[in-house]
Amino acid sequence: MNTAKPVMGMVLKGYPRISETFISNEIRLLEEEGLTVHIFSMRAPRENFTHKSVQAIKARVTYLPSEFWANLHRFLWPNLSAAILHPGGYARSFALACRRFLRNRNFLTFKHFFQAAYLVHHARDLNMAHLHAHFAHSPTSVAMFASEICGVPFSFTAHAKDIYTSDAVQLAEKIDKARFVVTCTKYNKAFLENLVGGRHEIHCVYHGIDLELFFAHAVEHTPKPPYTFLTIARIVEKKGIPDILAALAVLAREGFPFRYVLIGSGDDKEAVRGRVRELGLENHVELAGTMTHEQVLERFQHADCFVLGCKVAASGDRDGIPNVIAESMALGVPVIGTRVSGIPELVDHEETGLLVDAANPRELADALKRIVTDLPLRQRVIPAARQRVTDVFDNRKLIRELVALYRDLTHL
């Protein structure tokens, strides 16, 4: 009998990732609560730096081969080993992969199956009691196939893009097979429960943030022109950066004094750079690129407002509740957001921030002007926003809820 402490295998798309501090914070807090975690990452980190919080994580990491044909030799023995040790499970998992491939005709299905067998082979000495995946697409595919092979139950956390750009039938199958499913907004919870016709309860646990960290860096200054508007986001369609630029162009034409700082990178970076030039905003806009958490905290100290123009992308992709909105609220930087997805669960219009239709440049421009010049509004919104995140977004409170869920529904 294996008397070693049971281990949670955590399947991630990549680790560490500079844009996913909520996952590294979750792993760190799970360890503080006494859980032993082993990370299975589907690819190596792409950035050459990371946040300091990652350094506190004790979990060992196994990197799964990310390219199939280039790593075929690395897949062969782990798959043969898994087939020998778990012949029935390996056959069932392969049959599942074939059925899913026939539905989506996506050869990545078989890569995920081979990665799953690689995972099972490298977990054979871990006393792995449970597998949990972050994101409902490829990491959950790997966890599901691995669970079929070795019989260890799996669960997953569904976030945003992974929900709304996934094939509905494929996603419903994952929910049916999982021991349980967690998501990070009530909006997502309702969508997923409807997807499976109410057959399963989806557990909603917000990501949460480190309130002590952000309260310790509270921003306390009276806005003065030129006012500083700040956005921190991946530069992709769903973040609505072009809508923000259109509103800024309105302000520039009216002679309103401002500067705009955009922190982040992404697929649409060059398109955004071009749009800045087209609108004549070069003297107003700073494209600051990707920064560490510590550098971002420093930039917040000079911000008068945080703004995101979140929207539903053409692909169906959309945000849940961007953690940076909660972080801004905790820091005392008032937020302008949109009524998309789970954002109204945290931002109440004119109570804890402002909500607008970002596709309406006039409306967003007026909100930007108001949030930095209407001092009674700021005096009302800033403390209410801090109280809101204290009540519902404290990551230490939320992680205890998550640990209780894991321990109630698994053998951890």
Side-chain angles (χ1 to χ4, degrees):
M1 180 179 178
N2 192 340
T3 58
K5 191 172 183 179
V7 170
M8 170 186 281
M10 185 79 74
V11 186
L12 305 178
K13 184 76 172 178
Y15 177 84
R17 299 184 77 182
I18 201 76
S19 63
E20 293 177 1
T21 53
F22 59 92
I23 293 178
S24 57
N25 284 335
E26 178 181 310
I27 295 170
R28 176 174 58 84
L29 291 170
L30 288 173
E31 290 183 334
E32 289 181 9
E33 290 292 323
L35 271 66
T36 301
V37 177
H38 187 102
I39 297 167
F40 295 94
S41 176
M42 296 177 64
R43 63 178 178 224
R46 292 180 170 178
E47 298 92 3
N48 57 11
F49 64 94
T50 189
H51 300 307
K52 287 184 178 179
S53 60
V54 173
Q55 298 170 10
I57 293 174
K58 300 175 183 177
R60 292 167 52 205
V61 185
T62 297
Y63 287 100
L64 310 179
S66 58
E67 301 297 328
F68 182 74
W69 292 111
N71 291 287
L72 185 58
H73 61 290
R74 296 179 59 196
F75 281 122
L76 291 178
W77 169 241
N79 272 263
L80 181 59
S81 170
I84 292 170
L85 290 174
H86 308 282
Y90 190 89
R92 287 191 297 273
S93 188
F94 182 70
L96 174 62
C98 290
R99 291 196 300 273
R100 291 177 69 83
F101 170 76
L102 290 174
R103 285 202 293 259
N104 64 14
R105 300 294 175 177
N106 188 342
F107 283 98
L108 288 176
T109 299
F110 291 112
K111 185 183 85 167
H112 298 152
F113 167 75
F114 279 96
Q115 286 176 316
Y118 187 97
L119 184 160
V120 170
H121 173 74
H122 284 81
R124 62 194 184 281
D125 298 324
L126 286 182
N127 192 27
M128 188 169 66
H130 189 78
L131 271 169
H132 187 81
H134 265 286
F135 295 101
H137 44 41
S138 53
T140 297
S141 294
V142 172
M144 178 180 63
F145 291 138
S147 175
E148 288 284 335
I149 292 171
C150 66
V152 171
F154 81 98
S155 55
F156 65 94
T157 300
H159 294 271
K161 177 180 180 179
D162 52 317
I163 298 173
Y164 300 105
T165 62
S166 289
D167 176 86
V169 174
Q170 304 280 63
L171 179 54
E173 182 176 55
K174 290 175 179 177
I175 296 171
D176 284 334
K177 287 184 170 293
R179 174 68 60 87
F180 61 93
V181 178
V182 181
T183 193
C184 52
T185 70
K186 294 175 183 176
Y187 178 95
N188 289 348
K189 171 183 167 70
F191 179 89
L192 292 170
E193 288 180 341
N194 183 65
L195 185 67
V196 292
R199 292 192 300 274
H200 307 283
E201 178 188 3
I202 307 299
H203 301 273
C204 177
V205 181
Y206 291 128
H207 291 150
I209 60 172
D210 184 345
L211 292 181
E212 290 183 7
L213 170 66
F214 292 102
F215 287 168
H217 290 81
V219 177
E220 297 179 1
H221 67 259
T222 301
K224 296 178 182 178
Y227 303 103
T228 299
F229 306 133
L230 176 65
T231 296
I232 304 161
R234 285 188 300 116
I235 305 177
V236 294
E237 182 185 0
K238 69 178 178 180
K239 299 296 184 178
I241 307 300
D243 291 334
I244 297 174
L245 295 177
L248 295 177
V250 172
L251 294 179
R253 288 194 297 271
E254 295 174 349
F256 188 78
F258 73 90
R259 62 191 298 268
Y260 175 61
V261 179
L262 173 58
I263 297 174
S265 188
D267 295 342
D268 295 346
K269 179 176 66 175
E270 291 309 313
V272 164
R273 192 184 303 277
R275 189 64 178 147
V276 169
R277 289 194 298 268
E278 290 172 11
L279 294 171
L281 293 172
E282 297 97 321
N283 294 331
H284 293 278
V285 174
E286 177 189 354
L287 301 180
T290 304
M291 292 185 172
T292 66
H293 212 243
E294 294 70 32
Q295 292 171 319
V296 167
L297 284 172
E298 173 58 30
R299 288 303 189 104
F300 263 117
Q301 295 301 314
H302 308 285
D304 297 311
C305 154
F306 180 84
V307 57
L308 267 181
C310 297
K311 61 195 291 184
V312 178
S315 66
D317 188 13
R318 69 203 75 174
D319 271 306
I321 301 175
N323 265 26
V324 70
I325 287 180
E327 293 167 357
S328 303
M329 293 167 69
L331 286 164
V333 176
V335 168
I336 298 175
T338 61
R339 297 176 180 85
V340 169
S341 190
I343 293 172
E345 295 173 35
L346 196 60
V347 182
D348 295 316
H349 184 56
E350 296 196 344
E351 294 184 19
T352 61
L354 295 180
L355 294 174
V356 299
D357 175 4
N360 183 333
R362 179 75 266 170
E363 183 182 358
L364 179 51
D366 288 344
L368 288 165
K369 188 183 297 185
R370 182 183 176 201
I371 203 71
V372 295
T373 60
D374 186 341
L375 296 185
L377 174 68
R378 292 176 68 89
Q379 290 166 359
R380 182 174 76 251
V381 161
I382 289 172
R386 280 199 175 120
Q387 188 60 53
R388 178 69 173 155
V389 294
T390 299
D391 291 342
V392 302
F393 238 70
D394 181 346
N395 67 353
R396 292 188 177 275
K397 176 183 174 183
L398 293 166
I399 206 68
R400 287 193 289 272
E401 290 183 22
L402 197 58
V403 169
L405 182 66
Y406 285 149
R407 288 190 165 143
D408 185 44
L409 298 175
T410 73
H411 298 295
L412 294 167

